[in-house]
Amino acid sequence: MKPETDIGTPDLDPRRYWPLLRYLDKAGAAIAPLPDGLDDRDILVSLYRAMVTTRTFDQKAVSLQRTGRLGTYASSLGQEAVSVGVGASMHKHDVLLPAFRDHGTMLWRGVTMTEILQYWSGDERGCDFAGPREDFPVAIPVASQATHAVGVAMAFQLRKEPRVAVCIVGDGATSKGDFYEAINACGVWKLPAVFVINNNQWAISEPTRMQTATPTLAQKAVAAGIAGSRVDGNDVVAVHDVVSRALDEARRGRPQLVEALTYRLGDHTTADDARRYRDDAEVSARWQEEPILRLRNYLVGRDWWGKADEEALIREVRAEVDRAAEAYLALPPQEPTAIFDYLHETLPPSLAGQRRMVEDGDG
Amino acid sequence: MAEITLVEAVAMAQVRAMQDDPTVLVLGEDVGRDGGVFRATDGLLERFGPERVIDTPLAEGLIAGMSVGLAAQGFRPVAEIQFMGFVYPAIDQIVNHASRLRNRTRGRLSCPMVLRMPMGTGIKAPEHHSESMEAMFAHVPGLRVVIPSSPMRAYGLLLAAIRDPDPVIFLEPTRIYRAVREEVEDHGEAAELDRCFVLREGGDITLVTWGAMTRETLAAADALAEEGIHAEVIDVATIKPLDEDTILQSVGKTGRCVIVHEAALTGGFGGEIAARLADRGLLSLTAPVRRVAGWDTVMPLPRMEDLYLPSVARILKAARETVSYQ
């Protein structure tokens, strides 16, 4: 018996099914009326300030690394709109499960600059956030935090709490089984979870086309039976709008996948040299559409921002970052025995002996 | 008080823990309607409902990872991995996250989860269903690795594992899931973790073992007694963290030690115990420490698995040689 139809190529035309939502064009001009509530000077300036803060913080962290005062660091240069947009969309009682480049989200959530520096300097106390106590520390193994988000979202569902687990992953993470296992399970259980793919188009040296044959990453949601959408990740207004709506949906038991299309302007980490695998021409073209400039152009166009505002902001943010760096550099080291003290709630006797050796300097 | 099997004791402990503590959840593949492929979660779904007994998609990484998320949120997930040979996709979650969450957040978040799984050979199961990889988990800082050897200890140790504030790998020897029946009182009392159990006292030689191999080891001790050799038999029970004092004390008395385990010899946990004896008990030893273990081969398919498993005869041979060592 002959099959009735041939096996064809999948018809998932990104233009038809996965439109890229955007409010500000690459130059910062509005191409559509801004969404309700976001066309407001105070809100837009707060987003702008957070992006500038994130970039200034990144620059400081990189310079601390270059001068031997910080360990390997992953900058979020160029991706500030995704990071800040996600943070600004979350409610305080939601829980963030970040990847290792989401400093802007973490800062918005209340993690301090000092704590982030402390973590990247190799001090675990940097993950003991004074701020969002239930947020997860960054996950270094790619995509592994996605399954944690399933458990967190299930906890919210079981307790009937109107909270959302927000998990950020990179484009490379979508190649991993953990990512699919997580979105699949959220679909099965209709969990209050939002997965944001921070698609910066490069997983170290591998471009997105080496991660997937699909034209978009948002369409990965189809196989999981959840909703997917795409947003211009360099337009913080669009990120805020799309992720806020995704969170609202997730709160009603409809898990969401959002692909935010952005670009990593910097190296993968301070240990990487992106010039080995990436053309300068590509990078300089991307500087023309970066998120901070884009929002500033919009604000200036509305007469909501001027030279004096900019200078004052830079001054304030630099002072804030410098204070955080000084606080970080002045932190006393952990006691050597601290390496034992958080392994278990109570130290087992067999480890107590090893701890004593460290205490006695016999290590 | 009824005589029950080890797997029934596992089920009983889970019922008790769920009754006592509403934050205890059971999850895994087939744990609900089916009651687990070994029936270790039998009856739980009817009793506690689908919000607390959760059939998961077939994804081990997910099971371990979502347990980390649930645990960090204050639940106490008791997750089942259907067979130890299928735990490998979950290793990333166990090693990189479950075992480290408390440490990396300096205690802000913790991970009170239990990962249960059947281990070991002896039930003629297909390929990949019969390995004993306990040493792999024992090597991971921050994990407890517990292996019960009887229905009573399965009940008490599982209760202890569920109530423990940190992650516990709970390995259930399939070979003795139903081989032994024992009276187990459902008293709700946990057994002590991180402690070896002395199953039999004796002054001539110490036999150290755990899990299903306690059966062959006890049988060997019986046979040795008939020859006038009195063996002390120690069930390690929690292999990590190791209660080395109980083992050292026994060897201090007997001067001789044979370690018996089903897992492959090289890199097996018996090597760790032998090293501790060399480190802290050397002067009380009157003979070299011997290990009777599985061969360094792939676990053979069922037709040859008996060849792999340490036999009573092999234990006896090692014990006799150790006792007669000059």
Side-chain angles (χ1 to χ4, degrees), chain B:
Chain B
M1 197 165 35
E3 286 205 336
I4 60 171
T5 63
L6 194 153
V7 72
E8 287 165 347
V10 166
M12 193 161 87
Q14 288 177 104
V15 170
R16 170 61 73 155
M18 293 183 86
Q19 273 175 351
D20 290 354
D21 181 352
T23 67
V24 176
L25 308 175
V26 165
L27 63 148
E29 296 154 17
D30 307 308
V31 298
R33 278 170 55 144
D34 198 29
V37 292
F38 286 102
R39 307 286 173 261
T41 53
D42 206 16
L44 295 185
L45 179 65
E46 291 78 1
R47 204 149 172 176
F48 297 102
E51 294 207 329
R52 296 186 64 195
V53 183
I54 301 156
D55 274 321
T56 66
L58 208 161
E60 286 79 9
L62 168 76
I63 292 169
M66 70 183 279
S67 295
V68 172
L70 282 163
Q73 274 293 318
F75 283 95
R76 286 180 179 262
V78 182
E80 178 177 290
I81 299 289
Q82 215 153 59
F83 285 92
M84 196 176 201
F86 303 150
V87 76
Y88 305 109
I91 295 290
D92 181 18
Q93 291 296 338
I94 299 164
V95 174
N96 282 329
H97 293 296
S99 68
R100 300 164 63 117
L101 193 62
R102 178 187 294 284
N103 185 69
R104 65 197 299 259
T105 62
R106 301 285 90 169
R108 179 172 61 85
L109 299 174
S110 64
C111 196
M113 63 181 272
V114 177
L115 204 62
R116 294 180 36 246
M117 65 196 94
M119 75 177 289
T121 191
I123 57 161
K124 309 291 182 203
E127 196 173 7
H128 307 299
H129 286 63
S130 305
E131 285 75 10
S132 301
M133 300 302 290
E134 69 270 24
M136 187 178 74
F137 291 113
H139 192 59
V140 181
L143 289 183
R144 278 190 160 73
V145 184
V146 177
I147 310 170
S149 67
S150 75
M152 203 166 68
R153 271 185 295 284
Y155 175 83
L157 289 171
L158 184 53
L159 274 181
I162 295 171
R163 292 171 189 167
D164 192 85
D166 292 308
V168 179
I169 306 295
F170 196 83
L171 305 174
E172 298 162 8
T174 44
R175 191 152 55 89
I176 55 169
Y177 253 161
R178 295 198 168 81
V180 202
R181 283 182 178 274
E182 191 176 30
E183 284 196 349
V184 182
E185 194 191 340
D186 189 11
H187 48 46
E189 280 171 36
E192 207 178 340
L193 293 176
D194 310 347
R195 276 289 305 278
C196 294
F197 296 90
V198 179
L199 301 186
R200 178 189 179 116
E201 295 193 15
D204 298 327
I205 183 169
T206 303
L207 304 178
V208 177
T209 189
W210 53 88
M213 287 311 301
T214 49
R215 285 223 302 168
E216 285 76 7
T217 308
L218 284 168
D222 282 342
L224 288 170
E226 283 174 22
E227 298 169 21
I229 301 168
H230 301 287
E232 186 140 301
V233 177
I234 294 179
D235 170 14
V236 179
T238 304
I239 65 166
K240 173 81 171 286
L242 179 67
D243 166 20
E244 63 183 56
D245 287 347
T246 298
I247 299 170
L248 279 160
Q249 223 164 49
S250 175
V251 173
K253 184 171 69 176
T254 63
R256 298 172 174 92
C257 184
V258 171
I259 304 159
V260 183
H261 62 66
E262 185 176 320
L265 180 76
T266 302
F269 199 73
E272 179 62 36
I273 294 172
R276 305 279 182 110
L277 288 171
D279 188 18
R280 288 184 60 201
L282 186 65
L283 297 182
S284 54
L285 286 169
T286 55
V289 175
R290 295 283 302 272
R291 287 177 289 161
V292 180
W295 311 117
D296 283 340
T297 64
V298 169
M299 171 62 75
L301 293 181
R303 285 190 179 209
M304 303 251 278
E305 69 185 17
D306 290 344
L307 185 74
Y308 174 93
L309 206 62
S311 60
V312 175
R314 279 176 63 200
I315 301 168
L316 278 175
K317 183 166 182 284
R320 288 185 193 119
E321 284 170 7
T322 303
V323 169
S324 61
Y325 180 85
Q326 294 294 322

Side-chain angles (χ1 to χ4, degrees), chain A residues 17-251:
Chain A
Y17 294 102
W18 311 100
L20 189 71
L21 190 104
R22 167 188 288 160
Y23 289 100
L24 304 181
D25 72 10
K26 291 178 183 179
I31 54 172
L34 265 52
D36 283 350
L38 277 177
D39 199 16
D40 174 280
R41 182 188 184 271
D42 289 350
I43 289 173
L44 293 179
V45 166
S46 72
L47 295 172
Y48 182 70
R49 167 184 276 271
M51 291 198 292
V52 170
T53 301
T54 303
R55 185 168 295 182
T56 311
F57 171 74
D58 262 338
Q59 286 163 343
K60 185 70 175 184
V62 170
S63 80
L64 286 168
Q65 192 278 334
R66 298 287 185 233
T67 50
R69 293 177 292 173
L70 193 73
T72 302
Y73 178 77
S75 153
S76 64
L77 183 63
Q79 301 169 215
E80 294 86 352
V82 181
S83 216
V84 167
V86 172
S89 305
M90 292 175 68
H91 294 185
K92 196 172 176 214
H93 56 255
D94 295 333
V95 164
L96 176 70
L97 299 103
F100 50 77
R101 208 187 293 285
D102 301 318
H103 317 301
T105 323
M106 293 169 71
L107 290 171
W108 189 287
R109 299 277 300 154
V111 179
T112 66
M113 294 178 190
T114 306
E115 286 167 338
I116 296 175
L117 290 173
Q118 204 172 3
Y119 173 71
W120 289 98
S121 78
D123 184 334
E124 289 86 351
R125 290 175 300 181
C127 292
D128 185 7
F129 310 147
R133 297 290 290 168
E134 294 177 50
D135 280 11
F136 271 58
V138 300
I140 299 292
V142 168
S144 56
Q145 75 274 30
T147 56
H148 307 162
V150 178
V152 171
M154 181 172 274
F156 297 159
Q157 187 187 64
L158 288 169
R159 292 192 297 243
K160 299 181 171 53
E161 295 169 342
R163 307 167 71 185
V164 180
V166 178
C167 176
I168 311 180
V169 298
D171 40 312
T174 64
S175 303
K176 301 263 290 186
D178 274 352
F179 168 77
Y180 174 72
E181 290 183 17
I183 61 172
N184 181 59
C186 285
V188 169
W189 288 316
K190 300 181 172 39
L191 295 179
V194 171
F195 295 87
V196 178
I197 303 167
N198 188 338
N199 181 359
N200 69 17
Q201 307 189 44
W202 288 90
I204 307 190
S205 69
E206 297 195 8
T208 310
R209 67 174 185 279
M210 288 177 70
Q211 301 292 338
T212 181
T214 57
T216 73
L217 295 174
Q219 74 197 67
K220 306 256 176 186
V222 174
I226 69 173
S229 53
R230 279 173 95 216
V231 62
D232 183 333
N234 284 3
D235 175 356
V236 73
V237 176
V239 174
H240 191 297
D241 179 49
V242 169
V243 176
S244 295
R245 285 192 273 153
L247 276 148
D248 286 345
E249 288 291 306
R251 244 177 270 284

